[in-house]
Every structure is written in C-alpha cells, then in structure tokens.
Amino acid sequence: MTGIRLHAPDPGWSIDADVVVVGSGVAGLTAALRCTSAGLRTVVVTKARLDDGSTRWAQGGIAAALGEGDTPEQHLDDTLVAGAGLCDEQAVRALVTEGPGAVRRLIATGAAFDRTDGGEIALTREGGHHRRRIAHAGGDATGAEISRALVEAIRDQGVRFIEHALVLDLLKDAEGRTAGVTLHVMGEGQHDGVGAVHAPAVVLATGGMGQVFSATTNPAVSTGDGVALALRAGAEVSDLEFVQFHPTVLFLGAGSEGQQPLVSEAVRGEGAHLVDADGVRFMLGQHELAELAPRDIVAKAITRRMQEQGTAHMYLDARHFGAEMWEHRFPTILAACRAHGIDPVTEPVPVAPAAHYASGGVRTDLRGRTTVPGLYACGEVACTGVHGANRLASNSLLEGLVFAERIADDITANGPHREGLPLPTAAPGSVQALLPPEERREIQRIMTAGAGVLRSAASLADAADALEGLQRHAELDAGRDGRKAAEPGVDSWETANLLVVARVLVASAQAREETRGCHWREDRPDRDDANWRRHLVVRLTPDRRLVVHRTTGADFPPVTPDAPREPQP
C-alpha cells in the first residue's frame, strides 16, 4: 500500500454497490452485464458518455476461430508468434478456446456482424493471421456496432451508470482490501463534484494511455488513469514498454497532434499495398506475409524507409479496390480520408505509424485479479499476458470479452466481501503533486522524441531526465520559483496520471536492453532470449520511487500467495 492519492477535495457524496466497473468499452460493459445478471448491484463509471471509449473506434474487427478449417490452436500459434516469446501461453489458450463462445454470446446480446450471402459470419484477414478469422460489422465500424449493442443492453437491464466521471483513487478497508473508488463528476447531473462509490470489488476497464504521445489513434479520454490509480493503490504493472504503434495511421502533417484517423489493417488484409513515393512495394522480402506481417515488423519497415528516403510518411495504395469496394467495405475510412482532402479511390493514402495500443498494463492473473485484493483489471488497462511483446491484430476486443467474463465469474463465485470500512482520507503528506494542465503537451513532446517507435539509451535517458524534472517542479512550492500552483481539476489530474505512466514506460524501456516485439532499441538491435525472455514488473513506493524488477522467466508469478495459477487443461 503506497498511501499516495491525487490532490482532490474529500468526497461530498457516496453510493453503495457490490461491484463498481470503471470504463464503458467492451471489457467494462461485458463485466457489468454479467455481474448484473448474477444479481450483483453494479455501478458503471465512465469518463465521458457510455459509448465514448476506445471500443467504438475499433475498425478492423474481432478475431476468433469461427471459420471452416480454423481452430483455436491455429489462433494460438499466430498469437504466440506475434507476442515474440513473451505471451503467457495459458492466458492465450484461455483467450482462443473461450473466444468463439464469447463472440456468439456477444451476438446474442445484439451485436450484428457482417454476413456472407449464405448467412455465415463474413471473415477477413489482418496482419499476423494465417487464416481469415476477423469478424467485422458495418464494413469497418466493428467497434461502433459492439459499443451500440452493449450500451443498449446496459440500458435495457437497468444497470446504474455515472457518466462524465473521472475516477481518482482506490478506497481500501482496514485490512488493505478494495472498498471502492473516489471520483469526480463533471457538470450537472444526479451527482456533482467529488464523491465515492463504496464497493468490495472494483473492475478497472479504463482503456489505454495513447495520449502520452503527441500523435495517437486513441481518443482524448485515454490518459492512463487506470494504470496510475493502480500504481498509487500499490498494484503492480508490467510490460509497459511494449506500446504498439499502428503502422498505417492517416498522415495529416508533421505537426499533427492528438487523435489521428486510423486506416485499419483490414485494408491491407483485403489486398492494399504499402509503397514509397516511387511506388515501390518495400514490404516484399521483409517478411513472408509482406504487408500482412505483424504490426511491429510493418511499423519498423515503414520507419526505416522513411529514414532512408528522408520523408515523413509512406503510402497505402488501394486504388485497385475501386469505388464500390471502398464504399461498401470501408465507408468509415473512405469518409475520413475524403474529409482530409484525400480520395483513396484515385490516389494512394499517406500513412505513418502512431501510438495505438498498450500491450502492458496492470498485472493480472487468469481471472483478472491484480496484486491488490478485490481490484480487477481487464481490457487495454490490464496485462493478462495474452499480448506478450506485441498484440496480434484484432485480439484486443476478444481479450476484453473473454477476461471480463472471467472476472464477473470470479466475483460472483466469491461473493461480495463487506468486512471493514473505507479508510479515512489519507494524510496530506501522501498527496501526489499536480502539474499545470499545459504540461500535458510537454509530456507528449518528451515521450514522442525519446520513447517513440525508435528508442536508444541516449533518447530514453533524455526522456527520463525531462520527466523527473517535471516531477520535481510539481513538488516544489509554487512560491519558491514563481510557478503557479496547479489547481485540482480534471485537466491537472489527467496530466498527473500521464506523468506517472510516462515515467513507468520510460523506466521499463531503459531497463529492457534488447529489441523485442514493439520495443525497438536502436542501440540494442537484437532479441536476447537468454537474458530478456522475461517480464519487467513495476511498482510505486510510498516515497514515489519506481521499483523495477525482472521475473525469473516468461511466466508471471501469482498475483498473491493464495492465488495459484490454473493448471493446464
């Protein structure tokens, strides 16, 4: 237990529940629906609206062995290859064997996937997959359809939810068990200002942290809040150095910042080619799957070509699709391109890598349990071990489904534990200093320059020094150096969370002295299985130091002494 909390007013209101789910993407809403169906009083807390998370931006689809001739074993093999030796095989096996059933339950909930003329689920391929196993909806609007179906089900079942609420910190009872969360509700509504939801089980499903970089596919709400909360609560995080940069993000100019339009991997899955300004297909000979190689390989190849030619982007050429295919298969991408003055029907699309997905996060076991009793995590905020060093395309929605169901089943099986009460407000000495909101762009600049697609000991050292400088400035008394003290509020809390996750990411990237998956060290270009086929686990000490240690092998240790790993089936 760190005793650290964000600087915020004391809660002015509270409600009671059996389970509080933080986040409203596929992971959070699936967990909430399943807990509610089991008779548990469930409250969903979400930072914006129910349908405003990362799930609705997912274009490509959801991967599962649903097609004729495909098997979970083949899906497992492709996932392990993409994960570059760091996947937890038991976690992957749970994902691929339970995945088809989870997708069918999602369909039963109301999600409508695209179908073939014969009525079967239409399947496509994406990078790293040797089979067509990506189910999609609305052509390239899979996430939006899944979000629609789950939000509708949440409303139909009468699940209680609180929108426009930023969760601040975890509450614990006298024995250190989870006892709920504090949160700040923005604007007018049933609740306003800082309050608390008291519950013996908390499920973090807060999504990613892409906003730690200048350019990302993530929405503005993805500021690493769940990882930062977990660290302050004493939980362990792992594998944060493995940030996947999506290879094909619509290039809007060298100075573009914030959320950038994604050009789904499914476009390459349907036959689009990556070319340079001269029209040369540079992925040929780079990998047996060419443009459909795993994302880290494609992102590196694009970056190398950009460096060689001194350009800021490459091109994705799908002119051979024709207008009809673009309009029916990829209407969302077509509209985004045309909105920015590019017509993919008649011209190649400029693309470049941008921060996309965090393969690491809050460390969990196969039931979603973290190292803090009563605290669970699923979806992008979690590190289940499924993704290893690099996520296989379209495994993220499936991971959210499968592990959310596992979490709900664990909470239901164990029953709510209501012993003890939330601890009183922490002492002032345990308050995390806030940063002025304008430092958010400085964090993003530091991270993009020092810990982006290409990293080195020198760039990471510069980033670490700059981030520590921001930390020191935040802790100084404003009167001592003339700086205006940051006031508690959503912008300053988000900026503080971004600084926490940035520090962990850089510390992990510095410690991992090799190139593996989506972690690319220019000064350590080789993969080193003898020394580095293992995980980095990070925790935050009460004095705000980061402690980084290596596991003894590729398997994670149990999250608690009384939580042994599940045996192989």
Side-chain angles (χ1 to χ4, degrees), residues 493-509:
W493 289 324
E494 285 185 336
T495 305
N497 287 339
L498 283 171
L499 181 58
V500 171
V501 297
R503 289 177 62 213
V504 176
L505 194 161
V506 169
S508 300

Side-chain angles (χ1 to χ4, degrees), residues 12 36 57 147 326 330 349 372 376 434-435 442 463 469 523 527 557:
T36 299
W57 296 100
S147 180
W326 269 109
F330 301 111
V349 178
V372 174
Y376 297 80
L434 300 180
L435 278 77
E442 179 64 9
D523 56 324
R527 173 169 153 175

Side-chain angles (χ1 to χ4, degrees), residues 1 5 11 13-15 20 167-174 176-183 195-202 229 233 372-375 421-426:
M1 178 181 312
R5 65 178 177 89
W13 54 270
S14 67
I15 60 176
V20 56
V167 168
L168 303 175
D169 284 303
L170 192 73
L171 293 170
K172 294 183 179 180
D173 64 20
R177 283 191 56 89
T178 293
V181 293
T182 56
L183 66 159
V197 180
H198 296 158
V202 171
L229 176 151
V372 174
L375 178 65
L421 296 171
L423 289 175
T425 302

Side-chain angles (χ1 to χ4, degrees), residues 416-441:
H417 298 277
R418 294 198 161 277
E419 300 86 355
L421 296 171
L423 289 175
T425 302
S430 298
V431 172
Q432 178 180 330
L434 300 180
L435 278 77
E438 55 267 25
E439 299 286 21
R440 175 171 176 156
R441 293 184 73 174

Side-chain angles (χ1 to χ4, degrees), residues 111-422:
F113 289 93
D114 295 338
R115 301 276 177 168
T116 66
D117 291 341
E120 301 296 320
I121 296 174
L123 301 173
T124 189
R125 275 183 71 194
E126 292 185 357
H129 293 272
H130 284 80
R131 288 272 188 176
R132 284 185 169 264
R133 65 167 67 97
I134 315 300
H136 48 83
D140 58 359
T142 309
E145 170 59 17
I146 290 173
S147 180
R148 180 207 61 77
L150 291 174
V151 168
E152 192 171 295
I154 285 285
R155 296 182 188 278
D156 287 347
Q157 289 200 21
V159 180
R160 186 171 186 174
F161 57 88
I162 304 172
E163 296 181 308
H164 304 291
L166 172 64
V167 168
L168 303 175
D169 284 303
L170 192 73
L171 293 170
K172 294 183 179 180
D173 64 20
E175 296 180 352
R177 283 191 56 89
T178 293
V181 293
T182 56
L183 66 159
H184 174 80
V185 180
M186 299 163 263
E188 297 180 1
Q190 184 178 358
H191 303 290
D192 196 12
V194 175
V197 180
H198 296 158
V202 171
V203 180
L204 293 179
T206 52
M209 56 183 191
Q211 291 291 329
V212 79
F213 293 97
S214 297
T216 177
T217 62
N218 289 193
V221 294
S222 298
T223 51
D225 306 320
V227 170
L229 176 151
L231 281 163
R232 288 192 296 270
E236 293 179 349
V237 303
S238 187
D239 295 357
L240 234 60
E241 68 271 31
F242 297 118
V243 176
Q244 187 176 80
F245 287 77
H246 198 289
T248 54
V249 174
L250 186 62
F251 180 75
L252 301 180
S256 297
E257 297 179 342
Q259 186 177 9
Q260 312 287 300
L262 177 66
V263 182
S264 169
E265 195 146 8
V267 178
R268 280 174 283 138
E270 296 291 352
H273 303 144
L274 280 166
V275 299
D276 61 20
D278 298 320
V280 176
R281 284 184 65 187
F282 56 88
M283 283 306 300
L284 294 176
Q286 298 271 350
H287 189 275
E288 62 167 336
L289 295 175
E291 281 91 353
L292 286 176
R295 288 179 177 175
D296 62 309
I297 293 171
V298 180
K300 290 172 188 177
I302 290 174
T303 304
R304 281 197 192 100
R305 197 70 159 193
M306 285 161 45
Q307 289 179 324
E308 291 168 1
Q309 299 190 341
T311 60
H313 62 84
M314 289 285 110
Y315 292 94
L316 190 64
D317 191 351
R319 288 175 290 181
H320 55 284
F321 284 5
E324 184 178 354
M325 182 171 176
W326 269 109
E327 289 166 1
H328 288 90
R329 180 68 178 85
F330 301 111
T332 307
I333 298 170
L334 178 64
C337 289
R338 285 178 170 169
H340 292 283
I342 300 154
D343 188 351
V345 176
T346 60
E347 60 187 316
V349 178
V351 293
H356 182 57
Y357 190 88
S359 293
V362 185
R363 186 168 82 82
T364 74
D365 64 8
L366 298 187
R367 298 183 184 277
R369 296 175 291 197
T370 74
T371 50
V372 174
L375 178 65
Y376 297 80
C378 58
E380 191 173 354
V381 71
C383 181
T384 61
V386 158
H387 304 305
N390 183 48
R391 177 177 69 96
L392 181 65
S394 289
N395 267 356
S396 54
L397 293 174
L398 190 71
E399 183 196 31
L401 274 181
V402 168
F403 285 87
E405 291 185 346
R406 284 179 153 246
I407 285 172
D409 292 349
D410 190 74
I411 294 172
T412 303
N414 291 313
H417 298 277
R418 294 198 161 277
E419 300 86 355
L421 296 171

Side-chain angles (χ1 to χ4, degrees), residues 74-88:
Q74 294 176 68
H75 190 181
L76 180 141
D77 289 343
D78 285 345
T79 301
L80 295 181
V81 169
L86 277 188
C87 294
D88 182 318

